[in-house]
Structure formats: structure tokens, C-alpha cells
PDB file of all heavy atoms in Angstrom:
ATOM      1  N   ILE A 191      25.995   6.577   5.601  1.00  0.00           N
ATOM      2  CA  ILE A 191      25.677   5.146   5.555  1.00  0.00           C
ATOM      3  C   ILE A 191      26.656   4.393   4.658  1.00  0.00           C
ATOM      4  O   ILE A 191      27.108   3.287   4.986  1.00  0.00           O
ATOM      5  CB  ILE A 191      24.223   4.933   5.073  1.00  0.00           C
ATOM      6  CG1 ILE A 191      23.244   5.493   6.109  1.00  0.00           C
ATOM      7  CG2 ILE A 191      23.944   3.454   4.820  1.00  0.00           C
ATOM      8  CD1 ILE A 191      21.796   5.434   5.685  1.00  0.00           C
ATOM      9  N   ALA A 192      26.997   5.004   3.523  1.00  0.00           N
ATOM     10  CA  ALA A 192      27.906   4.344   2.578  1.00  0.00           C
ATOM     11  C   ALA A 192      29.274   4.092   3.211  1.00  0.00           C
ATOM     12  O   ALA A 192      29.844   2.988   3.079  1.00  0.00           O
ATOM     13  CB  ALA A 192      28.050   5.192   1.324  1.00  0.00           C
ATOM     14  N   ASN A 193      29.832   5.089   3.910  1.00  0.00           N
ATOM     15  CA  ASN A 193      31.128   4.891   4.572  1.00  0.00           C
ATOM     16  C   ASN A 193      31.021   3.892   5.718  1.00  0.00           C
ATOM     17  O   ASN A 193      31.950   3.125   5.966  1.00  0.00           O
ATOM     18  CB  ASN A 193      31.648   6.230   5.097  1.00  0.00           C
ATOM     19  CG  ASN A 193      32.175   7.124   3.984  1.00  0.00           C
ATOM     20  OD1 ASN A 193      32.570   6.642   2.931  1.00  0.00           O
ATOM     21  ND2 ASN A 193      32.151   8.423   4.210  1.00  0.00           N
ATOM     22  N   PHE A 194      29.907   3.923   6.443  1.00  0.00           N
ATOM     23  CA  PHE A 194      29.712   2.996   7.558  1.00  0.00           C
ATOM     24  C   PHE A 194      29.733   1.551   7.069  1.00  0.00           C
ATOM     25  O   PHE A 194      30.349   0.675   7.700  1.00  0.00           O
ATOM     26  CB  PHE A 194      28.368   3.292   8.246  1.00  0.00           C
ATOM     27  CG  PHE A 194      28.199   2.611   9.567  1.00  0.00           C
ATOM     28  CD1 PHE A 194      28.438   3.304  10.751  1.00  0.00           C
ATOM     29  CD2 PHE A 194      27.777   1.293   9.654  1.00  0.00           C
ATOM     30  CE1 PHE A 194      28.280   2.690  11.986  1.00  0.00           C
ATOM     31  CE2 PHE A 194      27.613   0.660  10.880  1.00  0.00           C
ATOM     32  CZ  PHE A 194      27.873   1.363  12.051  1.00  0.00           C
ATOM     33  N   LEU A 195      29.102   1.304   5.942  1.00  0.00           N
ATOM     34  CA  LEU A 195      29.026  -0.058   5.401  1.00  0.00           C
ATOM     35  C   LEU A 195      30.168  -0.386   4.444  1.00  0.00           C
ATOM     36  O   LEU A 195      30.307  -1.534   4.011  1.00  0.00           O
ATOM     37  CB  LEU A 195      27.697  -0.252   4.675  1.00  0.00           C
ATOM     38  CG  LEU A 195      26.432  -0.067   5.531  1.00  0.00           C
ATOM     39  CD1 LEU A 195      25.187  -0.205   4.671  1.00  0.00           C
ATOM     40  CD2 LEU A 195      26.409  -1.075   6.677  1.00  0.00           C
ATOM     41  N   GLY A 196      30.951   0.642   4.094  1.00  0.00           N
ATOM     42  CA  GLY A 196      32.064   0.403   3.181  1.00  0.00           C
ATOM     43  C   GLY A 196      31.628   0.157   1.751  1.00  0.00           C
ATOM     44  O   GLY A 196      32.300  -0.559   1.003  1.00  0.00           O
ATOM     45  N   LEU A 197      30.508   0.749   1.337  1.00  0.00           N
ATOM     46  CA  LEU A 197      30.008   0.538  -0.021  1.00  0.00           C
ATOM     47  C   LEU A 197      30.942   1.169  -1.048  1.00  0.00           C
ATOM     48  O   LEU A 197      31.579   2.188  -0.785  1.00  0.00           O
ATOM     49  CB  LEU A 197      28.599   1.143  -0.163  1.00  0.00           C
ATOM     50  CG  LEU A 197      27.535   0.666   0.836  1.00  0.00           C
ATOM     51  CD1 LEU A 197      26.198   1.333   0.529  1.00  0.00           C
ATOM     52  CD2 LEU A 197      27.403  -0.848   0.816  1.00  0.00           C
ATOM     53  N   THR A 198      31.006   0.575  -2.207  1.00  0.00           N
ATOM     54  CA  THR A 198      31.881   1.089  -3.269  1.00  0.00           C
ATOM     55  C   THR A 198      31.063   1.354  -4.529  1.00  0.00           C
ATOM     56  O   THR A 198      29.984   0.805  -4.721  1.00  0.00           O
ATOM     57  CB  THR A 198      33.003   0.084  -3.589  1.00  0.00           C
ATOM     58  OG1 THR A 198      32.416  -1.176  -3.967  1.00  0.00           O
ATOM     59  CG2 THR A 198      33.899  -0.119  -2.381  1.00  0.00           C
ATOM     60  N   GLY A 199      31.622   2.212  -5.392  1.00  0.00           N
ATOM     61  CA  GLY A 199      30.984   2.495  -6.669  1.00  0.00           C
ATOM     62  C   GLY A 199      29.892   3.542  -6.610  1.00  0.00           C
ATOM     63  O   GLY A 199      29.186   3.760  -7.600  1.00  0.00           O
ATOM     64  N   LEU A 200      29.719   4.228  -5.465  1.00  0.00           N
ATOM     65  CA  LEU A 200      28.674   5.239  -5.334  1.00  0.00           C
ATOM     66  C   LEU A 200      29.164   6.594  -5.832  1.00  0.00           C
ATOM     67  O   LEU A 200      30.364   6.886  -5.804  1.00  0.00           O
ATOM     68  CB  LEU A 200      28.210   5.380  -3.883  1.00  0.00           C
ATOM     69  CG  LEU A 200      27.280   4.305  -3.318  1.00  0.00           C
ATOM     70  CD1 LEU A 200      28.058   3.056  -2.956  1.00  0.00           C
ATOM     71  CD2 LEU A 200      26.538   4.833  -2.095  1.00  0.00           C
ATOM     72  N   GLU A 201      28.225   7.405  -6.273  1.00  0.00           N
ATOM     73  CA  GLU A 201      28.504   8.795  -6.600  1.00  0.00           C
ATOM     74  C   GLU A 201      27.939   9.683  -5.495  1.00  0.00           C
ATOM     75  O   GLU A 201      26.995   9.300  -4.806  1.00  0.00           O
ATOM     76  CB  GLU A 201      27.864   9.184  -7.941  1.00  0.00           C
ATOM     77  CG  GLU A 201      28.424   8.425  -9.126  1.00  0.00           C
ATOM     78  CD  GLU A 201      27.792   8.873 -10.435  1.00  0.00           C
ATOM     79  OE1 GLU A 201      26.990   9.842 -10.385  1.00  0.00           O
ATOM     80  OE2 GLU A 201      28.093   8.282 -11.473  1.00  0.00           O
ATOM     81  N   ARG A 202      28.519  10.848  -5.340  1.00  0.00           N
ATOM     82  CA  ARG A 202      28.002  11.779  -4.339  1.00  0.00           C
ATOM     83  C   ARG A 202      26.853  12.565  -4.938  1.00  0.00           C
ATOM     84  O   ARG A 202      26.949  13.093  -6.043  1.00  0.00           O
ATOM     85  CB  ARG A 202      29.096  12.717  -3.847  1.00  0.00           C
ATOM     86  CG  ARG A 202      30.321  11.989  -3.315  1.00  0.00           C
ATOM     87  CD  ARG A 202      31.175  12.879  -2.464  1.00  0.00           C
ATOM     88  NE  ARG A 202      30.566  13.062  -1.151  1.00  0.00           N
ATOM     89  CZ  ARG A 202      31.224  13.530  -0.091  1.00  0.00           C
ATOM     90  NH1 ARG A 202      32.490  13.852  -0.188  1.00  0.00           N
ATOM     91  NH2 ARG A 202      30.631  13.667   1.068  1.00  0.00           N
ATOM     92  N   HIS A 203      25.741  12.635  -4.200  1.00  0.00           N
ATOM     93  CA  HIS A 203      24.546  13.307  -4.699  1.00  0.00           C
ATOM     94  C   HIS A 203      24.154  14.436  -3.762  1.00  0.00           C
ATOM     95  O   HIS A 203      24.319  14.348  -2.547  1.00  0.00           O
ATOM     96  CB  HIS A 203      23.383  12.319  -4.809  1.00  0.00           C
ATOM     97  CG  HIS A 203      23.642  11.172  -5.733  1.00  0.00           C
ATOM     98  ND1 HIS A 203      23.535  11.261  -7.103  1.00  0.00           N
ATOM     99  CD2 HIS A 203      24.015   9.878  -5.468  1.00  0.00           C
ATOM    100  CE1 HIS A 203      23.815  10.089  -7.640  1.00  0.00           C
ATOM    101  NE2 HIS A 203      24.110   9.237  -6.677  1.00  0.00           N
ATOM    102  N   GLU A 204      23.571  15.467  -4.346  1.00  0.00           N
ATOM    103  CA  GLU A 204      23.007  16.549  -3.546  1.00  0.00           C
ATOM    104  C   GLU A 204      21.649  16.149  -2.985  1.00  0.00           C
ATOM    105  O   GLU A 204      21.278  16.522  -1.878  1.00  0.00           O
ATOM    106  CB  GLU A 204      22.851  17.802  -4.416  1.00  0.00           C
ATOM    107  CG  GLU A 204      22.222  18.980  -3.713  1.00  0.00           C
ATOM    108  CD  GLU A 204      22.019  20.150  -4.655  1.00  0.00           C
ATOM    109  OE1 GLU A 204      22.499  20.098  -5.799  1.00  0.00           O
ATOM    110  OE2 GLU A 204      21.358  21.127  -4.231  1.00  0.00           O
ATOM    111  N   SER A 205      20.917  15.336  -3.734  1.00  0.00           N
ATOM    112  CA  SER A 205      19.559  14.949  -3.369  1.00  0.00           C
ATOM    113  C   SER A 205      19.550  13.785  -2.375  1.00  0.00           C
ATOM    114  O   SER A 205      20.277  12.797  -2.544  1.00  0.00           O
ATOM    115  CB  SER A 205      18.772  14.554  -4.620  1.00  0.00           C
ATOM    116  OG  SER A 205      17.570  13.902  -4.292  1.00  0.00           O
ATOM    117  N   PHE A 206      18.702  13.896  -1.351  1.00  0.00           N
ATOM    118  CA  PHE A 206      18.509  12.819  -0.378  1.00  0.00           C
ATOM    119  C   PHE A 206      17.973  11.566  -1.057  1.00  0.00           C
ATOM    120  O   PHE A 206      18.452  10.445  -0.807  1.00  0.00           O
ATOM    121  CB  PHE A 206      17.545  13.290   0.712  1.00  0.00           C
ATOM    122  CG  PHE A 206      16.995  12.187   1.576  1.00  0.00           C
ATOM    123  CD1 PHE A 206      17.742  11.679   2.628  1.00  0.00           C
ATOM    124  CD2 PHE A 206      15.727  11.660   1.335  1.00  0.00           C
ATOM    125  CE1 PHE A 206      17.233  10.663   3.428  1.00  0.00           C
ATOM    126  CE2 PHE A 206      15.219  10.653   2.124  1.00  0.00           C
ATOM    127  CZ  PHE A 206      15.971  10.149   3.174  1.00  0.00           C
ATOM    128  N   LEU A 207      16.977  11.718  -1.924  1.00  0.00           N
ATOM    129  CA  LEU A 207      16.376  10.568  -2.588  1.00  0.00           C
ATOM    130  C   LEU A 207      17.379   9.861  -3.502  1.00  0.00           C
ATOM    131  O   LEU A 207      17.432   8.628  -3.551  1.00  0.00           O
ATOM    132  CB  LEU A 207      15.145  11.007  -3.386  1.00  0.00           C
ATOM    133  CG  LEU A 207      13.979  11.553  -2.551  1.00  0.00           C
ATOM    134  CD1 LEU A 207      12.839  12.027  -3.462  1.00  0.00           C
ATOM    135  CD2 LEU A 207      13.475  10.506  -1.572  1.00  0.00           C
ATOM    136  N   ALA A 208      18.188  10.644  -4.213  1.00  0.00           N
ATOM    137  CA  ALA A 208      19.205  10.046  -5.090  1.00  0.00           C
ATOM    138  C   ALA A 208      20.252   9.310  -4.275  1.00  0.00           C
ATOM    139  O   ALA A 208      20.729   8.222  -4.675  1.00  0.00           O
ATOM    140  CB  ALA A 208      19.856  11.134  -5.943  1.00  0.00           C
ATOM    141  N   THR A 209      20.625   9.879  -3.128  1.00  0.00           N
ATOM    142  CA  THR A 209      21.601   9.216  -2.248  1.00  0.00           C
ATOM    143  C   THR A 209      21.067   7.882  -1.749  1.00  0.00           C
ATOM    144  O   THR A 209      21.768   6.863  -1.773  1.00  0.00           O
ATOM    145  CB  THR A 209      21.937  10.122  -1.054  1.00  0.00           C
ATOM    146  OG1 THR A 209      22.525  11.335  -1.528  1.00  0.00           O
ATOM    147  CG2 THR A 209      22.907   9.438  -0.105  1.00  0.00           C
ATOM    148  N   MET A 210      19.810   7.877  -1.277  1.00  0.00           N
ATOM    149  CA  MET A 210      19.224   6.642  -0.763  1.00  0.00           C
ATOM    150  C   MET A 210      19.071   5.595  -1.864  1.00  0.00           C
ATOM    151  O   MET A 210      19.299   4.391  -1.641  1.00  0.00           O
ATOM    152  CB  MET A 210      17.862   6.937  -0.121  1.00  0.00           C
ATOM    153  CG  MET A 210      17.938   7.804   1.135  1.00  0.00           C
ATOM    154  SD  MET A 210      19.056   7.134   2.385  1.00  0.00           S
ATOM    155  CE  MET A 210      18.284   5.546   2.732  1.00  0.00           C
ATOM    156  N   GLU A 211      18.701   6.027  -3.064  1.00  0.00           N
ATOM    157  CA  GLU A 211      18.575   5.088  -4.185  1.00  0.00           C
ATOM    158  C   GLU A 211      19.918   4.467  -4.525  1.00  0.00           C
ATOM    159  O   GLU A 211      20.019   3.248  -4.767  1.00  0.00           O
ATOM    160  CB  GLU A 211      18.003   5.818  -5.401  1.00  0.00           C
ATOM    161  CG  GLU A 211      17.793   4.915  -6.601  1.00  0.00           C
ATOM    162  CD  GLU A 211      17.261   5.657  -7.816  1.00  0.00           C
ATOM    163  OE1 GLU A 211      17.121   6.900  -7.725  1.00  0.00           O
ATOM    164  OE2 GLU A 211      16.984   5.009  -8.841  1.00  0.00           O
ATOM    165  N   ASP A 212      20.961   5.294  -4.530  1.00  0.00           N
ATOM    166  CA  ASP A 212      22.302   4.799  -4.839  1.00  0.00           C
ATOM    167  C   ASP A 212      22.775   3.805  -3.773  1.00  0.00           C
ATOM    168  O   ASP A 212      23.408   2.793  -4.087  1.00  0.00           O
ATOM    169  CB  ASP A 212      23.279   5.972  -4.940  1.00  0.00           C
ATOM    170  CG  ASP A 212      24.389   5.709  -5.944  1.00  0.00           C
ATOM    171  OD1 ASP A 212      24.311   4.704  -6.665  1.00  0.00           O
ATOM    172  OD2 ASP A 212      25.339   6.514  -6.001  1.00  0.00           O
ATOM    173  N   ILE A 213      22.472   4.088  -2.510  1.00  0.00           N
ATOM    174  CA  ILE A 213      22.857   3.175  -1.421  1.00  0.00           C
ATOM    175  C   ILE A 213      22.161   1.831  -1.590  1.00  0.00           C
ATOM    176  O   ILE A 213      22.790   0.762  -1.466  1.00  0.00           O
ATOM    177  CB  ILE A 213      22.509   3.794  -0.057  1.00  0.00           C
ATOM    178  CG1 ILE A 213      23.444   4.968   0.250  1.00  0.00           C
ATOM    179  CG2 ILE A 213      22.606   2.746   1.060  1.00  0.00           C
ATOM    180  CD1 ILE A 213      23.075   5.750   1.494  1.00  0.00           C
ATOM    181  N   LEU A 214      20.868   1.842  -1.883  1.00  0.00           N
ATOM    182  CA  LEU A 214      20.114   0.592  -2.052  1.00  0.00           C
ATOM    183  C   LEU A 214      20.641  -0.209  -3.243  1.00  0.00           C
ATOM    184  O   LEU A 214      20.692  -1.452  -3.191  1.00  0.00           O
ATOM    185  CB  LEU A 214      18.630   0.909  -2.232  1.00  0.00           C
ATOM    186  CG  LEU A 214      17.915   1.495  -1.011  1.00  0.00           C
ATOM    187  CD1 LEU A 214      16.482   1.881  -1.362  1.00  0.00           C
ATOM    188  CD2 LEU A 214      17.926   0.495   0.139  1.00  0.00           C
ATOM    189  N   ASN A 215      21.031   0.498  -4.302  1.00  0.00           N
ATOM    190  CA  ASN A 215      21.535  -0.193  -5.492  1.00  0.00           C
ATOM    191  C   ASN A 215      22.911  -0.797  -5.292  1.00  0.00           C
ATOM    192  O   ASN A 215      23.337  -1.659  -6.080  1.00  0.00           O
ATOM    193  CB  ASN A 215      21.572   0.771  -6.679  1.00  0.00           C
ATOM    194  CG  ASN A 215      20.181   1.161  -7.151  1.00  0.00           C
ATOM    195  OD1 ASN A 215      19.220   0.428  -6.943  1.00  0.00           O
ATOM    196  ND2 ASN A 215      20.071   2.324  -7.788  1.00  0.00           N
ATOM    197  N   HIS A 216      23.644  -0.370  -4.247  1.00  0.00           N
ATOM    198  CA  HIS A 216      25.012  -0.852  -4.024  1.00  0.00           C
ATOM    199  C   HIS A 216      25.162  -1.607  -2.704  1.00  0.00           C
ATOM    200  O   HIS A 216      26.285  -1.776  -2.211  1.00  0.00           O
ATOM    201  CB  HIS A 216      26.004   0.317  -4.061  1.00  0.00           C
ATOM    202  CG  HIS A 216      26.188   0.922  -5.418  1.00  0.00           C
ATOM    203  ND1 HIS A 216      25.313   1.856  -5.928  1.00  0.00           N
ATOM    204  CD2 HIS A 216      27.138   0.712  -6.379  1.00  0.00           C
ATOM    205  CE1 HIS A 216      25.713   2.220  -7.133  1.00  0.00           C
ATOM    206  NE2 HIS A 216      26.817   1.540  -7.432  1.00  0.00           N
ATOM    207  N   LEU A 217      24.047  -2.074  -2.167  1.00  0.00           N
ATOM    208  CA  LEU A 217      24.139  -2.833  -0.914  1.00  0.00           C
ATOM    209  C   LEU A 217      24.922  -4.137  -1.074  1.00  0.00           C
ATOM    210  O   LEU A 217      25.448  -4.677  -0.099  1.00  0.00           O
ATOM    211  CB  LEU A 217      22.731  -3.144  -0.384  1.00  0.00           C
ATOM    212  CG  LEU A 217      21.999  -1.986   0.313  1.00  0.00           C
ATOM    213  CD1 LEU A 217      20.594  -2.409   0.717  1.00  0.00           C
ATOM    214  CD2 LEU A 217      22.787  -1.511   1.535  1.00  0.00           C
TER     215      LEU A 217
END
């Protein structure tokens, strides 16, 4: 999702929940 939307400033996470939280915080 992050690459699709071109989001920046994200970290790579092993956890699904952490990934989704990071995506929402960088929308």
C-alpha cells in the first residue's frame, strides 16, 4: 500500500498491525 500511494517516512515492520498503523500515520 505504501509503494502504491507513494508514502514517505515509513519504516518496514514485521507486524501487520504495526504496518497498518504506520500507513495510517503517513497518509
Side-chain angles (χ1 to χ4, degrees):
I191 294 175
N193 285 336
F194 193 99
L195 300 177
L197 305 181
T198 57
L200 283 78
E201 296 182 5
R202 305 198 76 164
H203 300 280
E204 178 184 352
S205 167
F206 166 81
L207 295 177
T209 298
M210 294 306 299
E211 182 182 3
D212 212 8
I213 289 173
L214 293 175
N215 291 335
H216 291 82
L217 282 177

